[in-house]
Amino acid sequence: MSQRAPAPGLRRQLLCAGMAATTLWLAGCSTAPRSSAAPDSATVPFWSGRMALQIQPDSPVAPQERSFSASFELRGSPQAGSLQLFSPLGSSLALLSWQPGSATLQQGNDSRSSASLDELVRDTLGTDLPIPALFAWLHGQDQAAQGWNVDLSRWEQGRLQALRHSPAPQASLRLVLDR
């Protein structure tokens, strides 16, 4: 039994249906565009940009450096806010939100909660970050944080770097803000 090629009209319909299905599939894989400004930016502080965190090895026995980088959107204050992290392609990696007495990390379908933001950050990253000082640094204020040195010399260009020398492990946090 031999198969015949579809008629030209049917071939065109099949091609159009295939293109429509491909377009719908690609649209389903896309992510919604990130906002360039917070809708309530007049009342809630908002920053966006790129961040990189490098954590040096704890000891010679565990000589593996850990590093993390992502785009981010940060809203709020040390007391209440949210931090959303994005992959280079723009898909959401994680959403960290907090308020007095609780913090939640949402990664895909997984969710973790903690009584404090500091504890959740430490459990997630394996190291502490000076959250109150970080918000001050984002405002261009040179607030001290135990064990950390911050470089705000390029803050007006939207760049800051902080280095932790103690306690171990040493860490480096770099932020490049969208302007």
Side-chain angles (χ1 to χ4, degrees):
M1 173 187 232
S2 67
Q3 289 186 336
R4 294 177 25 182
L10 180 59
R11 192 175 320 155
R12 184 172 305 140
Q13 287 176 342
L14 290 173
L15 181 60
C16 288
M19 288 175 31
T22 302
T23 301
L24 288 173
W25 178 77
L26 287 173
C29 293
S30 68
T31 58
R34 297 192 320 244
S35 62
S36 59
D40 54 356
S41 61
T43 58
V44 177
F46 174 81
W47 299 269
S48 67
R50 295 177 312 280
M51 67 183 306
L53 175 65
Q54 292 180 311
I55 304 168
Q56 298 301 316
D58 289 11
S59 68
V61 177
Q64 187 168 350
E65 179 180 280
R66 293 173 286 166
S67 63
F68 171 81
S69 63
S71 294
F72 72 92
E73 289 181 353
L74 175 64
R75 290 176 173 81
S77 68
Q79 295 77 33
S82 67
L83 171 65
Q84 187 153 20
L85 301 174
F86 300 95
S87 74
L89 296 177
S91 60
S92 179
L93 297 172
L95 174 62
L96 179 63
S97 56
W98 61 93
Q99 59 189 10
S102 71
T104 304
L105 175 65
Q106 184 76 37
Q107 291 178 295
N109 294 328
D110 297 331
S111 180
R112 292 184 8 198
S113 296
S114 177
S116 79
L117 175 60
D118 291 331
E119 184 178 300
L120 188 58
V121 167
R122 182 176 43 256
D123 290 348
T124 302
L125 298 176
T127 191
D128 289 309
L129 291 178
I131 303 298
L134 176 60
F135 276 91
W137 299 341
L138 287 166
H139 284 289
Q141 302 164 356
D142 189 3
Q143 179 175 322
Q146 185 173 356
W148 287 83
N149 293 324
V150 65
D151 178 1
L152 296 174
S153 63
R154 297 179 61 199
W155 178 80
E156 288 189 11
Q157 290 83 36
R159 296 175 180 267
L160 65 90
Q161 181 171 353
L163 301 172
R164 183 182 65 206
H165 49 84
S166 69
Q170 293 183 353
S172 168
L173 175 66
R174 290 177 289 141
L175 297 175
V176 177
L177 302 174
D178 294 336
R179 293 288 179 172

